[in-house]
Amino acid sequence: MTTWKKESLLQAYPRFLQNEDFYIERLEKTIQGFQKTFGKEPSRFFSAPGRTEIGGNHTDHQNGCVLAAAVDMDIVGAALPNDENIIRIYSEGYGMEEIRLEDLEVKEQEKNTTASLIRGVAARICQLGYNIGGFDMYSVSNVLKGSGISSSAAYEVLVGTTINHLYCANKLTPVEIAQIGQYAENVYFGKMSGLMDQTASSVGGVVAIDFKDTKNPVVRKLLFDLEGIGYHLCIVDSGADHADLSDEYSAIPMEMKAVAAYFGKSVLREVSLEQFLECMAEVREQVGDRATLRAYHFLMDNQRAIDEAKYLAEGNFAQFFETVTASGYSSFMYLQNVYVSGSVKHQEVAYALMAAQAALHGKGAFRVHGGGFAGTIQAFVPNVLLDDFVSQMEKAIGKGCCHVLSIRQAGGMELEKE
């Protein structure tokens, strides 16, 4: 059995000491999967966390501000460099992806596939002037796909972190790895995501991020011990998968940018709330009601993200929780990313929000989580209500729907052996 440096595992898994057997068995499972798949022994091990969005819902793609955190769900990969100039990644439950590094052009037939993310990350690192090579990897994930914890960003960060350690002398910074992941998702995968997901996963901890200059985002880590103030973070799976809703997500930045264009700007960050309110009727006439509502959400939620970071820094947790819930209401009413337009029978996220509000009894906070439309909700639950909250959510939605998470201080990283 592999012997690991405990300090390394504690960085990746804050609850390692409480459930040591689980984490060791999971790592051994990854090694065994590699041996079975490739017939060799892996030499290096990497981990990339999922992320939770705390503040700023759909603000990042408008060069806005967000508050986010890495969590202790991750993708872990056992790897071995090869001399074939091929990246092979076998993802447990999904199968093998194989990318030849002599061909890193965008493939239209690969859009919306995992292969496009690998190719895009590798291509961007090459464009930045690095010489890269191949490797074999077996990966295991407990980042729920379609959960709003962003399995795609974690995957991009895992690939970028692995290449960085194996071939780039670890010269790429966490923010650069995040930007590489976003490039892969935008250009190769075909989803116009912002930069929040990748940054939170790559940097780790609780981070306040200002994307005013997307080439040089301002990333500030905040010291925040949620469990130390008597709360737990819960992510509740609504039971609806958002994996095939790229058009719904893409419509949000497109509509927001249409409003920005009315003012002669490229993104809404360049438009003030006062300007918007002064011309609101004309904006509505030109771009329509939904785009106008979504622009108002951005202008308000961007400030909420700034305020939430301020409240955390001040220790004003009551105001923090109030602002988190206000963001959730704005997402429902104005951003309109709680369910797909026209859907009547399936409104799983709205139902989960209702159940959470009932279970919290006016305490803590709750909101739609991540991109929305399907997937998950987020709740900050007082410790004294935690058991009842989990029980009530599972009664309302289904057993295993409620995940109690911890914030992970490390971003994408190498797991070290003794």
Side-chain angles (χ1 to χ4, degrees):
M1 181 177 289
T2 304
T3 304
W4 303 90
K5 288 187 179 179
K6 187 167 287 187
E7 298 82 0
S8 179
L9 296 190
L10 282 169
Q11 281 187 291
Y13 309 116
R15 292 182 286 182
F16 174 73
L17 295 179
Q18 292 96 312
N19 202 357
E20 189 169 339
D21 289 346
F22 167 79
Y23 292 108
I24 295 297
E25 287 172 9
R26 184 165 175 258
L27 290 168
E28 289 298 324
K29 180 181 180 183
T30 308
I31 294 171
Q32 292 163 10
F34 187 97
Q35 293 167 335
K36 182 178 180 181
T37 303
F38 300 106
K40 302 174 184 177
E41 291 290 328
S43 63
R44 308 282 287 273
F45 302 86
F46 301 94
S47 166
R51 69 95 180 102
T52 183
E53 166 202 285
I54 299 172
N57 197 356
H58 281 279
T59 53
D60 57 332
H61 51 65
Q62 298 300 297
N63 295 21
C65 298
V66 300
L67 188 66
V71 297
D72 59 346
M73 285 182 170
D74 76 329
I75 307 176
V76 61
L80 180 69
N82 65 48
D83 57 5
E84 302 172 68
N85 214 34
I86 297 172
I87 295 177
R88 299 185 189 91
I89 302 179
Y90 188 99
S91 301
E92 182 186 58
Y94 297 96
M96 182 74 78
E97 298 290 354
E98 184 173 305
I99 300 299
R100 305 192 71 87
L101 297 180
E102 63 268 18
D103 181 10
L104 294 179
E105 298 298 317
V106 176
K107 309 290 182 187
E108 287 300 319
Q109 67 273 20
E110 260 183 10
K111 291 286 179 75
N112 295 298
T113 69
T114 304
S116 69
L117 298 178
I118 303 170
R119 196 182 303 275
V121 169
R124 186 59 182 153
I125 293 175
C126 286
Q127 291 167 16
L128 292 173
Y130 293 92
N131 294 318
I132 68 173
F135 62 89
D136 298 323
M137 173 176 279
Y138 187 95
S139 72
V140 174
S141 175
N142 61 2
V143 182
L144 305 173
K145 190 175 176 65
S147 66
I149 303 177
S150 198
S151 56
S152 60
Y155 192 88
E156 293 151 19
V157 170
L158 179 70
V159 176
T161 299
T162 301
I163 295 174
N164 190 31
H165 280 78
L166 295 182
Y167 294 107
C168 304
N170 207 23
K171 291 181 179 179
L172 292 167
T173 68
V175 171
E176 287 173 329
I177 290 173
Q179 292 169 324
I180 289 163
Q182 184 201 23
Y183 174 87
E185 192 156 324
N186 290 175
V187 177
Y188 281 72
F189 187 86
K191 180 179 177 181
M192 297 308 296
S193 68
L195 189 53
M196 177 188 67
D197 296 354
Q198 293 85 353
T199 303
S201 176
S202 189
V203 173
V206 178
V207 287
I209 314 168
D210 187 337
F211 292 115
K212 185 175 183 178
D213 179 357
T214 55
K215 292 183 179 178
N216 298 287
V218 177
V219 181
R220 181 165 58 99
K221 273 202 172 190
L222 302 174
L223 295 177
F224 177 42
D225 182 3
L226 181 63
E227 293 166 31
I229 66 167
Y231 285 79
H232 271 83
L233 171 66
C234 292
I235 300 296
V236 181
D237 188 348
S238 70
D241 186 356
H242 71 195
D244 297 321
L245 294 171
S246 290
D247 289 346
E248 295 288 342
Y249 302 128
S250 295
I252 293 176
M254 288 172 61
E255 291 179 14
M256 287 184 177
K257 287 181 178 181
V259 176
Y262 171 88
F263 293 96
K265 307 296 183 181
S266 58
V267 289
L268 280 174
R269 178 64 181 270
E270 300 170 349
V271 179
S272 71
L273 177 62
E274 292 72 24
Q275 287 175 306
F276 172 80
L277 294 175
E278 178 68 25
C279 302
M280 191 164 58
E282 292 87 349
V283 170
R284 178 192 185 197
E285 181 68 25
Q286 180 165 314
V287 301
D289 288 354
R290 190 173 73 171
T292 305
L293 293 167
R294 284 174 164 173
Y296 180 70
H297 164 83
F298 167 84
L299 293 166
M300 299 299 288
D301 221 44
N302 190 60
Q303 185 60 48
R304 288 189 194 98
I306 297 169
D307 292 341
E308 287 167 4
K310 173 175 172 285
Y311 296 141
L312 286 185
E314 295 172 346
N316 188 348
F317 302 119
Q319 196 65 50
F320 167 75
F321 290 135
E322 183 178 317
T323 309
V324 168
T325 298
S327 173
Y329 281 122
S330 180
S331 295
F332 205 147
M333 291 188 293
Y334 305 127
L335 183 60
Q336 299 182 33
N337 70 332
V338 169
Y339 53 84
V340 176
S341 298
S343 179
V344 176
K345 184 176 181 180
H346 293 288
Q347 296 188 6
E348 292 91 343
V349 175
Y351 175 81
L353 289 168
M354 176 189 68
Q357 184 174 32
L360 284 171
H361 305 291
K363 307 294 184 182
F366 66 102
R367 67 196 285 273
V368 62
H369 183 240
F373 298 110
T376 58
I377 68 164
Q378 175 190 76
F380 293 91
V381 182
N383 291 350
V384 294
L385 293 180
L386 183 63
D387 290 344
D388 285 345
F389 181 84
V390 172
S391 176
Q392 289 186 51
M393 296 308 292
E394 292 192 342
K395 182 179 179 181
I397 298 173
K399 191 168 179 60
C401 72
C402 188
H403 303 275
V404 182
L405 304 182
S406 288
I407 292 172
R408 162 172 157 165
Q409 294 303 319
M413 62 177 290
E414 182 168 8
L415 302 176
E416 297 182 57
K417 299 181 292 183
E418 292 284 5

